[in-house]
Amino acid sequence: MGKTLIIAEKPSQAREYAKTLGVKGKGEGYFENDDYIISWCIGHLFELKPPETYMDLLKVGKRWGIHRLPVLPQLGEFQYELKPSTLKQYNVLQRLLKSQEVRQVICGTDADREGQLLFQEVWDTLGSKKPLFRLWISSLTQEAIHEGMSKLRPFHEVEGLAQAGYGRSYGDWDFGMNLTEGFTALFGSFDPVRKKPNVISIGRVQTPTLALVVEREWAIQNFVPVSYVELEAEFESAKGCYKGKWFDKDRLASHGQTKEAEKDQETDRDKHILDLERGKAILAKVQGRPGKVCSVKDKESTEPHPLLFDLTSLTVTASKRYGFGAEKVLKIAQSLYEKKAITYPRTDCNYLPPDMLPKLKSHLKALEQGPFEQWVKEALDRPLPKGKRVINEITAHHAIIPTTERIAQNLSSDEQKIWEMIVLRFLSTWFPPARYAEREIITVVEDEFFLTKEKTLLEPGWKRVEKTGKHSEDSAPKLPFLSQEERVETRSCQVLQKETKPPKRYTQGDLIKAMEGAGKEVEDETLRRQLKGKGLGTVATRGAIIENLLTRGYILQQQKVLVPTEKGMELIRLIKERLPRAQLLISAEMTGQMEYELAQVERGEIPLSRYMEKVEQAVRGIIEELRHYEATHGKKPLAFAPQKQGTQGRKSKSNQESRSQEPHAPKTDKAKDGKESSASASGDSLGTCPSCGGGVEEREKGYGCQNWKNGCPFILWKNPICGKVLTPAQVKSLLKKGRTNLIKGFRSKNGKNFAAYLVWENPSSGKLKFEFERNNPAKPG
């Protein structure tokens, strides 16, 4: 009858197939018994050949340049080469696929686009004509493997997936190979510190992701704080004291009575008083005056359990809770999957399909151990979680949940953290919503209105499981039970002076979420579902994209947040200001639309050729623009990446086995006259030196001009000024705006604290002086 050949993605996956199917015989690069032969790939066995393959190097030369571009092989013309490290295993697969003993083949690689592609590269290269089927599973448990083998998919059902895999590979090659060479030829240079070319790497997903980080940094740098005040009063009634915040009754009165208007009212009631003088006038008006309770509203609200994890929400949560990077979360999740602890992790779905309902109790019972035993016993007495927040439409793979296996093997500390997050999220779906009592009191004093809100937890529901929320603090009401028209006295009133805050830098989790929303940080679950498929990259590749940006010196990891380097900022500024056609490279919406069209190829809705036509058109347009720029402006080297990139600068395994490629650049010419590019290789510039126009950098004892060797005397010492030492952010503001933001906490000679701005007294010598707020003219004693 012949044997069935199963080709897995990696040896560990093949071992699970062999164990489940009782295949105990082992050969060189495969397992075998009377019915099955099980072998494997080692990730991608092939890689696409470099652009020089398609060039006449005698005519165009070996040095990178615009004159060699574009290089755009047609479908069917892309050439592959076998990786030297995979030759041995390729020979094993070649022999097995050609063997007369094999009657049919099963593709058993990971059930996603890249898993399909790495199998397809081998299958199409060898041109096998044997009957072919697809094993599609969501976990490596024996139960899941047996079920998948009983429901093998005919291969035509995943032909679109294979086409999309090729589309991703070819499109990224076209963008990366052409534009990295083009940009490096014009804007690269030789890095004398590293003694290698400063490559300007460009990518279909990488570059718009960098733009998100850079534009957030610009928003922070250009942020001008706005001072505002809030007015808070404390009232005394016969039943107790409480506090309220002033709000504008005229805004409230102008609204209608729709539900949307009610939400607007809630927002408007919290509007700040922007006028300090008006705030002081209201304070004087109500201080010590009697008032009354204008209205009391009581209602109950509920908070449902959170959705099950997909890879994005798992990454975001792990980033916030433990500071884990995106690549680390994926690596841990993949390890848990291979240990049969969780279902397939590279999913963009938060739901389970209806046919999983009968199996859910077996997943639950597998957790009846250790710290989860109490919750499992209670959940088993509850109905199955059938609501649409759990059972709903799924994409290729359902949400990440624990498997039906009891986890007996030891997990690492980090694996334990991620596994427990997934377990608790799954358990929470069996429990009811948390219930709250909400009370809103409006108090009026001298025709001025004050709002008081309280939210009290009545029943924690699912929150008992995930242990979220401050239950000990909000489980008992603190407001007195007041009635409408009840009289009160204004015990005290104060004006609280505040400032608006700049946007926050991205953590890796925040950036993953922004990539998913095509540049929009989307909190609303419904809107997130609508944008899925139109984001930057896929759930499986976003972590690697961030890692690439770190590795290539475009961004840095500083504690939990991501900061762009001077090289990254100069690249995005160049595209935004000088290269209008290339701006599609930094458009999250445009790149998200391309990802959506790739998904259409996967679903068979458009042919691969149409997707590639759009890619080629975009690349041709940008290369033509670079050619015009070179003719008009010549070459302009960008900044070097910083020397020290920390542990995040190391290439991860996933980058090395890549699903995206970066060409190896030949040495380019050094910048003219042997000078370095606009930012020193010894550090990023904080701004322009007011003495000579050079760059200012941070040093151990101060902030000095990078042209100090040429005699520039400018320096700002890090000596304390009334107890405060200048920070890099404050120096940036000085160099750009001529003054810092308001600095609080200066201490005068007689021990009094004061706030002031630092401004130039003599910029060229770095001499500073204080400038005080008009409304706070107190000077140090």
Side-chain angles (χ1 to χ4, degrees), residues 496-509:
L496 306 175
Q497 296 193 40
K498 299 187 177 184
E499 274 189 348
T500 53
K501 303 292 184 186
K504 294 181 179 178
R505 291 187 174 100
Y506 288 112
T507 64
Q508 287 205 30

Side-chain angles (χ1 to χ4, degrees), residues 204-248:
R204 178 180 64 90
V205 180
Q206 170 189 290
T207 305
T209 302
L210 171 62
L212 294 178
V213 180
V214 169
E215 286 170 354
R216 174 61 58 89
E217 189 69 19
W218 286 340
I220 294 169
Q221 291 177 357
N222 297 326
F223 179 79
V224 178
V226 176
S227 297
Y228 66 91
V229 298
E230 290 179 349
L231 194 63
E232 184 179 80
E234 183 176 7
F235 303 108
E236 183 176 10
S237 72
K239 298 171 184 174
C241 296
Y242 65 98
K243 291 181 178 180
K245 280 187 178 180
W246 180 93
F247 69 92
D248 190 340

Side-chain angles (χ1 to χ4, degrees), residues 599-612:
Q600 288 181 301
V601 173
E602 184 173 320
R603 295 191 295 268
E605 295 170 2
I606 64 172
L608 175 57
S609 58
R610 187 185 304 176
Y611 172 77
M612 291 305 299

Side-chain angles (χ1 to χ4, degrees), residues 205 209 212-213 310-319 324-330 347 506-522 528 532 534-547 549 555 562:
V205 180
T209 302
L212 294 178
V213 180
D310 62 358
L311 182 57
T312 297
S313 54
L314 179 67
T315 302
V316 170
T317 306
S319 176
F324 289 173
E327 272 285 87
K328 181 173 182 176
V329 174
L330 178 56
T347 175
Y506 288 112
T507 64
Q508 287 205 30
D510 295 333
L511 185 55
I512 287 281
K513 190 160 46 173
M515 291 172 74
E516 181 187 57
K520 303 174 182 67
E521 288 186 83
V522 181
R528 278 186 66 209
K532 277 187 177 178
K534 294 190 177 183
L536 297 179
T538 66
V539 289
T541 61
R542 288 173 188 138
I545 293 298
I546 295 173
E547 190 71 17
L549 289 171
I555 62 175
L562 298 170

Side-chain angles (χ1 to χ4, degrees), residues 391-623:
I391 307 298
N392 210 323
E393 288 184 27
I394 69 164
T395 50
H397 294 281
H398 60 65
I400 307 170
I401 63 172
T403 66
T404 55
E405 298 272 331
R406 285 183 175 268
I407 305 304
Q409 57 190 321
N410 291 328
L411 302 179
S412 70
S413 173
D414 288 344
E415 287 174 339
Q416 189 73 28
K417 288 174 181 175
I418 297 296
W419 184 64
E420 287 189 0
M421 283 172 52
I422 294 166
V423 168
L424 292 173
R425 182 62 58 93
F426 175 67
L427 286 171
S428 72
T429 65
W430 296 75
F431 290 80
R435 286 196 311 117
Y436 291 89
E438 295 186 32
R439 170 164 288 192
E440 178 185 284
I441 301 170
I442 295 178
T443 306
V444 60
V445 181
E446 296 294 324
D447 206 30
E448 301 293 343
F449 288 73
F450 295 82
L451 176 67
T452 306
K453 288 183 176 181
E454 181 178 74
K455 188 175 182 179
T456 305
L457 184 65
L458 299 176
E459 171 55 52
W462 63 269
K463 290 198 168 193
R464 288 192 299 141
V465 179
E466 285 215 357
K467 297 181 179 177
T468 59
K470 301 177 181 179
H471 303 150
S472 60
E473 296 180 14
D474 60 12
S475 58
K478 300 177 182 64
L479 286 178
F481 286 93
L482 303 170
S483 56
Q484 196 162 328
E485 301 297 322
E486 187 165 340
R487 297 291 173 176
V488 298
E489 293 291 331
T490 308
R491 288 184 59 181
S492 64
C493 192
Q494 59 180 331
V495 173
L496 306 175
Q497 296 193 40
K498 299 187 177 184
E499 274 189 348
T500 53
K501 303 292 184 186
K504 294 181 179 178
R505 291 187 174 100
Y506 288 112
T507 64
Q508 287 205 30
D510 295 333
L511 185 55
I512 287 281
K513 190 160 46 173
M515 291 172 74
E516 181 187 57
K520 303 174 182 67
E521 288 186 83
V522 181
E523 300 292 343
D524 182 78
E525 292 169 355
T526 303
L527 186 54
R528 278 186 66 209
R529 291 199 298 273
Q530 292 172 353
L531 286 173
K532 277 187 177 178
K534 294 190 177 183
L536 297 179
T538 66
V539 289
T541 61
R542 288 173 188 138
I545 293 298
I546 295 173
E547 190 71 17
N548 286 342
L549 289 171
L550 290 161
T551 300
R552 292 164 184 171
Y554 284 128
I555 62 175
L556 295 174
Q557 180 93 40
Q558 292 186 355
Q559 296 181 329
K560 288 186 178 182
V561 299
L562 298 170
V563 180
T565 63
E566 194 68 22
K567 177 180 178 179
M569 289 194 287
E570 283 191 12
L571 173 60
I572 301 305
R573 185 180 294 111
L574 170 75
I575 293 172
K576 284 181 72 72
E577 295 178 358
R578 308 300 295 273
L579 300 169
R581 282 192 184 180
Q583 287 180 18
L584 68 87
L585 289 171
I586 59 174
S587 166
E589 290 82 1
M590 179 74 74
T591 308
Q593 181 62 31
M594 292 182 68
E595 196 67 50
Y596 179 69
E597 289 168 2
L598 206 51
Q600 288 181 301
V601 173
E602 184 173 320
R603 295 191 295 268
E605 295 170 2
I606 64 172
L608 175 57
S609 58
R610 187 185 304 176
Y611 172 77
M612 291 305 299
E613 283 171 8
K614 292 189 176 182
V615 170
E616 292 164 5
Q617 181 182 4
V619 171
R620 282 195 176 93
I622 296 171
I623 292 297

